[in-house]
Amino acid sequence: LPSADRARKASGAASGTSTQASAQSIPAGTRAGSVTARWMGDNVRALLEGAQEGTVWECGAQQYVLEKVVGNGAFGIVWRARSADGEVVAIKKVLLDRRFHNRELQMMQLVEHEHIIRLRCFFEKSGRRKDETYLHLVMDYLPETLRGLVLQHNKRRRRFDIGHVRAYLYQTFRALEYIHARRICHRDIKPDRSEEHTSELQSPLQS
């Protein structure tokens, strides 16, 4: 896309769940609390339909066996999966609404950086209902988040090593510099969206 078009389409680009929120909002009159929780629960159950541990999904020439759900929100669910050669990936499943442009997919196709979660491939599958389609994003899998590390340190009453703090911040700022140069704004930066590869002090930013 020309840079001007990318800028217009990227304006307001959100994280995965926020992007889908623009395509599917909570029904009018729904309030925070038990009603919202029940509505979100129904949506997650719909996302789980047709998939369970051991289910095989195909993306291009590669097959992935689903292992377990590692994350979910109001508009998406994330599976940990394993390829035939043993490589572990994350597969995010979201409802695809044709009335809206999926910004998350577009953004991930535009970026390629060592400190940003990589999109390996994507595919679509039909749902049980008529005209119901789900988008599946196959991405790098990292087992830990910055939030998880913070909670672990807090539980053990330990402080973060200052060198680790510097490394995580440096990598996060490099990722932000990269997407900002492409006129992309990440609107939901938080510890949950900073995936960690603790053995290598890697901290890729999640979309």
Side-chain angles (χ1 to χ4, degrees):
L1 290 172
S3 58
D5 289 341
R6 283 189 298 186
R8 284 194 294 270
K9 291 180 181 294
S11 62
S15 68
T17 52
S18 298
T19 298
Q20 292 304 313
S22 66
Q24 180 180 349
S25 57
I26 296 177
T30 301
R31 297 179 299 172
S34 60
V35 176
T36 301
R38 184 168 62 251
W39 181 82
M40 290 175 64
D42 291 341
N43 199 51
V44 170
R45 281 192 289 273
L47 288 165
L48 283 169
E49 287 183 359
Q52 58 184 354
E53 294 179 15
T55 298
V56 177
W57 282 343
E58 294 185 2
C59 188
Q62 190 65 270
Q63 291 186 331
Y64 297 99
V65 179
L66 302 186
E67 294 188 338
K68 65 178 294 187
V69 174
V70 293
N72 66 77
F75 304 100
I77 192 164
V78 181
W79 283 89
R80 186 184 71 197
R82 192 176 299 269
S83 65
D85 56 10
E87 191 170 21
V88 180
V89 299
I91 303 180
K92 182 175 182 179
K93 176 183 178 181
V94 295
L95 179 63
L96 189 61
D97 193 326
R98 299 295 184 184
R99 297 172 300 171
F100 298 88
H101 189 81
N102 189 288
R103 291 196 182 107
E104 181 178 17
L105 175 59
Q106 182 192 23
M107 295 301 103
M108 295 195 74
Q109 288 177 309
L110 287 176
V111 300
E112 184 177 353
H113 189 271
E114 61 181 324
H115 298 315
I116 297 176
I117 293 292
R118 177 168 57 109
L119 175 68
R120 293 166 175 251
C121 63
F122 66 94
F123 60 96
E124 298 177 7
K125 291 179 70 70
S126 298
R128 294 185 177 181
R129 299 174 183 174
K130 184 180 179 181
D131 299 327
E132 187 178 65
T133 304
Y134 289 94
L135 174 66
H136 301 71
L137 305 173
V138 182
M139 304 173 287
D140 291 337
Y141 173 77
L142 283 86
E144 189 60 88
T145 65
L146 182 57
R147 180 177 183 272
L149 290 179
V150 169
L151 292 176
Q152 290 177 26
H153 279 68
N154 185 57
K155 185 176 181 179
R156 298 170 185 171
R157 298 183 181 278
R158 293 172 52 189
R159 289 182 178 273
F160 260 101
D161 181 274
I162 189 63
H164 293 187
V165 174
R166 288 171 177 166
Y168 292 145
L169 285 175
Y170 172 74
Q171 292 170 42
T172 301
F173 290 148
R174 281 200 66 199
L176 290 175
E177 180 184 41
Y178 176 86
I179 65 173
H180 289 171
R182 285 149 183 79
R183 303 182 68 84
I184 298 172
C185 178
H186 195 304
R187 302 187 305 183
D188 194 23
I189 297 174
K190 56 187 178 183
D192 299 82
R193 297 199 172 278
S194 180
E195 306 287 337
E196 309 299 329
H197 197 311
T198 53
S199 62
E200 301 177 8
L201 280 184
Q202 293 292 314
S203 181
L205 189 64
Q206 182 184 8
S207 66

